[in-house]
Every structure is written in C-alpha cells, then in structure tokens.
Amino acid sequence: MSDPLPEELVGRVLGTDEATPLDFWVAIDPGHYLQLDDVVALERDLPGGERIRMFGVVSQVRARHEGARFDSDVFLIADGKLPAEVSEAAKVLATRFEPEVFVPPKPGSAVRKARDEERDQALFFDRMEKKLAIGLSRDGEPLYVNLEFLDGTRGAHVNISGVSGVATKTTYATFLLYSLFHSNVLQHAHASKAIIFNVKGEDLLFLDQENAKLEDAQRLRYRQLGLPAGAFAQVEFWAPPRRGDPNATPWISRRDTGVGSFFWSILDFCRQDLLPYLFADAEDDRAQYPIVIHNVMAQLRRCTDAGEGGVNIEGQTVRSFAALVDLISNRLTDEHERERWAGPAIGQGTVNAFLRRLFAAVRHVQDIIRGDVPNPEKHHIARGSQVTVVDIHNLNDRAQRFVVGSVLREAFDDKEKQGPEGHLFVVLDELNKYAPREGSSPIKEILLDIAERGRSLGIILIGAQQTASEVERRVVSNSAIRVVGRLDSAEAGREEYGWLPAAHRARATIVKPGTMILSQPELPVPLVLEFPFPAWATRPSEAAEHPLPAGVGTAADPLAGWMAEA
C-alpha cells in the first residue's frame, strides 16, 4: 500500500503521549478535525518489511494552548500579547490489526479517516456475512450488527438499559424488530414472529399505521440503512377487557378499531396449570405455600368442561374467578378436605399464607380469568400475525405478571413443538420486575429458560430495563448484544456496565433521545449510533387512518423534539 497523499491526512500519532496497541493519541492537522466516533486508519512497517494496518475509533478529543503556563494566559493569547499555538488531539481506541501483530503505532505515523472498505474493515463489517442495520453513525454512515449474534447462530438476545422516558428503550427495540423484518437479512423471516408487551401508555397500538408526520430527512435515513420507511405490515393488537364489562370490551381509549380483548377461561386456567402465575412476585425460598400451589393445581386439573369457559369441580359449576377462589378456600379450610387439596402435613399457617395471596388477586384478575362470556376462544391471544402486541399497561402489577407469565409459557411450549425453524422475538420492558436479581418466581424461571436455552429453540429475548444492576445476572450475561441509552450517573458506575469504556460511560449520562451505545461480540469498542424517528405512528395524531374517537384526548409525546434534533 502506498503512503497516503497529504490531502488524505487528518493528523499524526503523538510522541508526547504513550502509544499502545490498545489506544493512542493523534495530533490533528490544523486544516482538519476529528470528532467523537470517527473511524481512522494508519500503518506501521516492521523491521522485516511487513506492513501492519491499524484501525481505531475516536473516543475523546481535546484542544489546548501550547506555550501557556497559567489559566489566565488565555486572555493574553486571545489579545495577541502572548505567543501560543492551539493544539488539538484525539484519543483513539484500537479496533483491529491486519495482520494481528499487536504493536503500538510509531509517533509521527500518518493518520487518515477510514472510508468505504477501510471503514468496513475497521468495524469488522467486512467479516459479517449477514449484516443487520442498527442505526447511523454521527456522520450519517450506516452501522451494522452481525446477525449471527442475534438469531442464535453464534449468540442471541438483546439487553437495553436506560432512564425511563429518556432512553427510548422500547422505541429502539421496535426499530430493531422493524429492521429484522424488513431488511431481507433474517432467514425464514416469513415464519418468524414477535410478541411485544406494551407496559406504558398506548403508543404501541399504532404500529400498523404509517407515521403521517415523518419528514423527508428521516425517510432519507431509512434509505441510507436500506430499509423502507413505513409501518409494520402484519400486526394484531390485544388488550384486557374493561373492568366489570360483561361483554369484555377492550380496555383502550386512543384507538377504536382493530383491537381484540383477551382473557383466559376458567377451563383454560385449570387445565393449563396457570395458577402459579398468580404468585409470580419474587418469593422467599423459605416460603412453604408453593407446595400448596402445586397440590391445588393438581386438583383443578381434574375439572370437567361446563361450556362457555366454565368448569365443573366435584359437582360444583364455576363461572367466575371469585367463585373458583371461594371453592378452593372452602376445600382448604375443611378439615376433611384440607389434606387432599393442600397436601399431607401442611400447617394451617401455610394454607392461610396461600389463601391471603389468592384472595388478594381476585379484584385484579377477575376480568381476565372468567367463564361468563360466550365463545371464549375468540378472546384467546392468537399470535397469528407477524407481530402481536399485548397491551397490559392498564393492569395491576399482579395481573401484568400473570399475563406475561401465561403468554410466555404458551409461546415457549408452542416453539418447542414447532422446532427451530423461524424465530420468536419477545420484547419485554421492565425486565427487573419479571426477572429480579433476588428471589425466584415462575416468570423468572421462564425468562431464565429463554436466556439460557431459547437460542437453540429460536426464541430471542429483547429485554429492557432502567437498571441492569437489578436484573438477574444470567439474563443479562446471556445477551450477546447490549445497548444503553441515557443512564443515571450512579447506575453507569456499576459493574454491569463494565463493557463500556470510561469515555462511553460518561457519554451515556448525557446522550439525547434517539442515541444509543451498542456493544457486540466481534467489535472491541461500543458503537455510538442514532436511529431514525419511527416510521410508524406512535400516537393517534400521527395515524391518519385511525383518528381519535370523539372526546378522547392525547398524551404528551415522549419523543417530542426528535425531528429538530435529527
């Protein structure tokens, strides 16, 4: 390779700061500049004649006066009374050596910006057989992740952290799904599906509608990533029934069509062993009542069909969850039935602990576990479309846990029967609530199973949380792709973010919405990226095909200002 032409140079390796194979400083030529995240390239010739090509990413840039001794000298220099020169330098984190001879660059070595093929080499894009677009760099160039570390070939799962309302975690998760389903990179995309649990507001109930306010500049960003700018093609929406509604009308306010209501019939609840998911809060390992749960579950399994979702249990017809709880309570408090329903040698204190929790669940889940609506099969979450949105934001925490646990349990069982062809992507926010670091619960066990065994089955978890330090370690550590948006400064200092270099940790506390920092296994340095404004509607005013019903208000837009910032 010939020496770079002078106009290609942006600077030379500094000799006044140490240069190592891991990082080095570059003095920037006065006629050029380097900014954070720029990619650079340079060479070093070894004594034997072999040339080593080196690549890196700018992680810090500084400017100072050379010749000044005191802080106040800046005023004299600005007035022309004291001679001094402005010196700019950039710190570079090394990303790649070709061939892999890890020697430091020599002071004075010419440094240039890496472009085109060199940029692909610096960021290992040239080694990725399947490149998935994940966003754009600060200079508008596309960035990619190796799909093999997302689809289960060599790794799986994505974990996203950040401050609620600022880090745009769910928005980026949906963007990743959009890229997966619209980039023609994912194998068996036609057979792949996604489940999104909507835990905040109703913004995800418009994924099937194009964003009427998407500007041309944002459409261009999609084209730069090789993606169409539009809505998700195949989406179905499910919401819980309104409280006390005998017709089980969907509990939503911002969309009036295209949403089905979901609930589990009493028959499904008994036969599918869903009772444990009513006790899905993290439990003390010393608690004894889980023994009662499994014994009661065995008795419920023996029920017979009473039609329209109801059951017959030992001669008694049950069509409501409250009636089912009363039946269980009567059996457990009956001296003659207690041993059969609770199990041998189970004390009354353990039984009472079980009943307290069961009665506490009645008011929160009685509308989603019922046997009083004709054709209950129409209210089963079908998961027939490519994307299924399950809205749970109106539900109490206990009901949310029940829905998440029951849906994941059924999806996991179905995927085991189906086999590895096609993928199932699960998008779940507030992961710290469902898989907390301490304690155990049925939902946590499912999420651990997905994190540790889901890769082989084609189940991919895209999990998000405010604080990764509060999530089960095995769930986070099994995520090949890690992403952060805006982080709280105290959280950024925790060991769970050890994959972030010091400069990136500092940046994570100030990044704006729409900017993420992503780490992938092949690249030793995290990528700072920006992703386009959603091409799908995120509120009713953006969805022209589904205007608001009369009298329904709109919520504040959490992404307001993106267009201006982009």
Side-chain angles (χ1 to χ4, degrees), residues 315-487:
Q316 183 173 337
T317 300
V318 177
R319 293 199 175 276
S320 71
F321 183 69
L324 180 64
V325 171
D326 287 339
L327 183 148
I328 295 172
S329 175
N330 291 337
R331 296 299 189 273
L332 291 176
T333 54
D334 187 305
E335 293 183 3
H336 303 290
E337 297 288 344
R338 183 189 305 161
E339 182 173 336
R340 185 164 64 91
W341 277 73
I346 298 297
Q348 189 61 46
T350 300
V351 170
N352 290 340
F354 167 82
L355 288 176
R356 282 197 304 271
R357 289 165 172 80
L358 190 60
F359 276 108
V362 172
R363 66 184 298 267
H364 301 303
V365 303
Q366 60 186 351
D367 293 305
I368 58 174
I369 305 174
R370 58 202 296 175
D372 59 350
V373 178
N375 304 313
E377 65 278 358
K378 293 182 179 180
H379 298 272
H380 177 261
I381 298 175
R383 295 187 287 111
S385 300
Q386 188 173 59
V387 178
T388 300
V389 178
V390 181
D391 178 35
I392 58 176
H393 84 279
N394 280 321
L395 296 177
N396 167 271
D397 275 358
R398 186 180 294 272
Q400 287 185 355
R401 290 187 175 99
F402 174 80
V403 173
V404 171
S406 300
V407 171
L408 289 183
R409 157 78 180 277
E410 181 182 354
F412 194 91
D413 290 346
D414 289 347
K415 197 69 178 70
E416 281 187 311
K417 297 173 184 176
Q418 174 189 339
E421 181 175 346
H423 295 82
L424 175 63
F425 298 93
V426 176
V427 179
L428 180 60
D429 198 358
E430 298 183 356
L431 202 56
N432 52 298
K433 181 167 71 176
Y434 302 105
R437 175 152 299 189
E438 305 298 333
S440 61
S441 72
I443 296 180
K444 183 175 178 178
E445 294 306 314
I446 289 179
L447 290 171
L448 278 172
D449 212 4
I450 291 175
E452 297 177 339
R453 197 163 59 93
R455 170 187 167 189
S456 61
L457 296 173
I459 304 178
I460 311 300
L461 175 65
I462 303 177
Q465 67 285 315
Q466 292 188 48
T467 52
S469 60
E470 297 180 3
V471 178
E472 166 62 44
R473 287 184 177 90
R474 287 183 290 169
V475 173
V476 177
S477 63
N478 275 285
S479 300
I481 310 298
R482 301 191 190 186
V483 187
V484 297
R486 173 81 65 85
L487 286 178

Side-chain angles (χ1 to χ4, degrees), residues 261-325:
S261 67
F262 68 82
F263 61 79
W264 284 263
S265 69
I266 301 293
L267 182 65
D268 288 339
F269 178 81
C270 295
R271 288 190 172 175
Q272 295 177 14
D273 293 340
L274 301 182
L275 179 63
Y277 300 110
L278 291 177
F279 301 81
D281 48 337
E283 61 193 32
D284 191 326
D285 292 335
R286 297 169 296 178
Q288 298 298 312
Y289 68 84
I291 300 173
V292 182
I293 294 175
H294 292 284
N295 287 324
V296 170
M297 190 166 60
Q299 295 298 323
L300 296 180
R301 206 179 299 137
R302 300 167 60 185
C303 70
T304 58
D305 189 353
E308 293 189 351
V311 297
N312 287 315
I313 300 176
E314 299 179 353
Q316 183 173 337
T317 300
V318 177
R319 293 199 175 276
S320 71
F321 183 69
L324 180 64
V325 171

Side-chain angles (χ1 to χ4, degrees), residues 65-73 77 82:
H65 274 137
E66 289 185 335
R69 297 179 57 192
F70 306 104
D71 292 345
S72 58
D73 286 348
I77 295 170
L82 186 68

